[in-house]
Structures are given as structure tokens and as C-alpha cells.
Amino acid sequence: MVKILIVEDERKTGDYLRQGLSEAGFVADLARDGIDGAHLATQNDYDLVVLDVMLPGMDGWEVLRRIRAQGRSMPVLFLTARDQVDDRVKGLELGADDYLVKPFAFSELLARVRTLLRRGLGREQQRLQVADLELDLLRRRVVRAGKRIDLTAKEFALLELLLRRQGEVLPRSLIASQVWDMNFDSDTNVIEVAVRRLRAKVDDDFEPKLIHTVRGMGYVIEAPEQT
Ligand code: CA
């Protein structure tokens, strides 16, 4: 789930951006001034920030300065009403990744957002997550609700595969070939056993349950629909 923070004080523009980005499949939060924006951006893990320059309370430059001062390197797309070269230079010097001059078409913003997210994917792909379950690929660590979970190498590989393709029902044959490097033999219950063990570690003591059996088809990991 890709999370985007929008910092925009113009009510209509903010609502429009939030709705558009939500419809495009992102989780979009909206802050209506710079102080809220800086707070949200430094306290949460956003994958991208869409940041208006002219904001009440604290301008976009200062918000960006605070984000970078916290060591956060998510891409930042500036929205500027002033088509001024020095504004662009200033933004890029402060560590903005791109800028868009108002007024702009939503399709243009969406294209920029997707490009920036792709560029940042290297970093993003080091961590896989569903709900409060996180898998850190570099450190080979699994944490749920802040609690460290110890997995065997096979359990880790199984969880990684499920997370990489979360929301997708994975047939046992695919799991067998990807995790055990073997062809599926209908007589063996090695996958059922492994899934049961994995569930005991990541689901039994927690809510909501994340790993689901789809009878006759396979397994899927996903968080319940948010309402
Ligand atoms: Ca503004």
C-alpha cells in the first residue's frame, strides 16, 4: 500500500487531490497547513509527499527542510503557483525531487507521482508490509505489532513470497516451486504444514488474521478491507 501525504491549504485543490489519488489506488492523507504537514511527514512513513509552497503557518520550504532534517528521503513533489526559476532552483536545492506549476491537470500530477515512486522503489522494496506485519529483507527480520518474530529460512521465504504478491491467491504448486524449488506432489503436505507453522507465529496471537486459505486454490495474505 503506497502512502502519499498531500500538504495543501486550498480546500478544493486538497480535496480534489486526495480524492484523485485515492481513486488511483493510493492511501492519501491531507494536511491543510504547513505545521500539520511537517508533523505528519516526520511522524509517519509516507512514500511520497505532494507539497504546496505557499502555506499558512509554515511554508513548503520549511516543511521540506524539516522532513530532510529528520533524515527522511521519500520523494517530494512541489506545487508552486509561481512559475519562477528561482523557486524551482530553491526547491531542488532543498531536496525536492520535482515540481509542478499550478494550475496543472490531475493526469500530469499522477504521471509525476508514478515516476517518482518508481525511482524510489529500490528503497521501498527492502521492506514488505501488510497491516502491522513487516518484513525487512535486508536485515531478514519480521515484526508484527512491534513484536519480533523468529522464522526459519523456509518460513521467511514463504512469507516473503506471500507478501510480494499480497492480495493474490498463490497455488500450492507455485509455492512449492518458488520456496522449495520442487515440483508439487499432491501426496505431500509439506506446504500445508509450513503454512500452519507460519500462521502459528504471525497470526495466532494477533488480529486481524492475515494469511487465508482459499479452498481448492491456495493461499493469500491480505489485510481486511478498510471501511
Ligand atoms: Ca497554497
Side-chain angles (χ1 to χ4, degrees):
M1 226 166 20
V2 176
K3 286 177 70 181
I4 297 177
L5 175 65
I6 304 152
V7 189
E8 169 61 84
D9 61 309
E10 285 165 55
R11 195 155 284 273
K12 270 174 70 180
T13 309
D15 291 343
Y16 167 75
L17 289 178
R18 174 161 60 181
Q19 187 185 345
L21 288 170
S22 301
E23 284 169 3
F26 301 108
V27 174
D29 290 343
L30 174 61
R32 298 200 188 267
D33 62 53
I35 293 165
D36 276 0
H39 182 75
L40 282 173
T42 52
Q43 300 301 313
N44 298 278
D45 279 330
Y46 288 103
D47 299 291
L48 184 138
V49 180
V50 177
L51 184 55
D52 187 28
V53 174
M54 300 300 289
L55 293 164
M58 183 192 295
D59 68 15
W61 311 126
E62 182 57 25
V63 175
L64 176 60
R65 212 174 273 127
R66 293 191 181 198
I67 290 173
R68 296 303 186 227
Q70 293 270 321
R72 294 191 180 259
S73 58
M74 78 289 255
V76 172
L77 172 62
F78 257 117
L79 304 181
T80 173
R82 299 173 297 179
D83 189 6
Q84 300 284 329
V85 172
D86 56 346
D87 261 15
R88 299 180 187 181
V89 171
K90 186 173 177 182
L92 295 172
E93 276 175 355
L94 282 171
D97 298 273
D98 202 356
Y99 59 89
L100 207 50
V101 177
K102 290 178 178 177
F104 51 84
F106 182 74
S107 57
E108 174 66 14
L109 177 114
L110 192 56
R112 302 285 186 97
V113 161
R114 291 203 164 120
T115 301
L116 289 171
L117 286 170
R118 254 198 308 279
R119 222 184 278 163
L121 212 57
R123 288 194 300 269
E124 178 56 27
Q125 289 298 44
Q126 293 165 10
R127 208 170 56 103
L128 300 168
Q129 184 174 8
V130 62
D132 56 355
L133 175 65
E134 291 177 33
L135 183 150
D136 184 331
L137 287 166
L138 287 185
R139 290 188 289 170
R140 311 294 290 177
R141 270 186 13 167
V142 175
V143 171
R144 181 149 189 200
K147 272 176 68 180
R148 175 83 180 270
I149 295 171
D150 284 308
L151 298 182
T152 65
K154 286 295 182 211
E155 289 162 354
F156 191 98
L158 174 59
L159 182 60
E160 180 183 340
L161 175 65
L162 287 165
L163 282 170
R164 282 190 186 282
R165 300 177 66 165
Q166 60 183 273
E168 211 182 312
V169 179
L170 303 183
R172 289 175 183 80
S173 55
L174 180 115
I175 294 173
S177 65
Q178 301 268 311
V179 178
W180 279 268
D181 195 24
M182 66 181 190
N183 293 318
F184 184 59
D185 174 354
S186 58
D187 288 332
T188 178
N189 66 348
V190 61
I191 292 159
E192 279 88 332
V193 171
V195 169
R196 202 182 307 138
R197 288 198 179 130
L198 182 60
R199 268 189 176 139
K201 292 181 179 179
V202 307
D203 265 344
D204 279 6
D205 296 340
F206 302 91
E207 288 295 342
K209 305 305 178 200
L210 300 173
I211 299 173
H212 309 280
T213 305
V214 182
R215 198 168 290 277
M217 293 182 73
Y219 300 98
V220 59
I221 194 164
E222 62 186 349
E225 293 288 329
Q226 288 187 329
T227 50

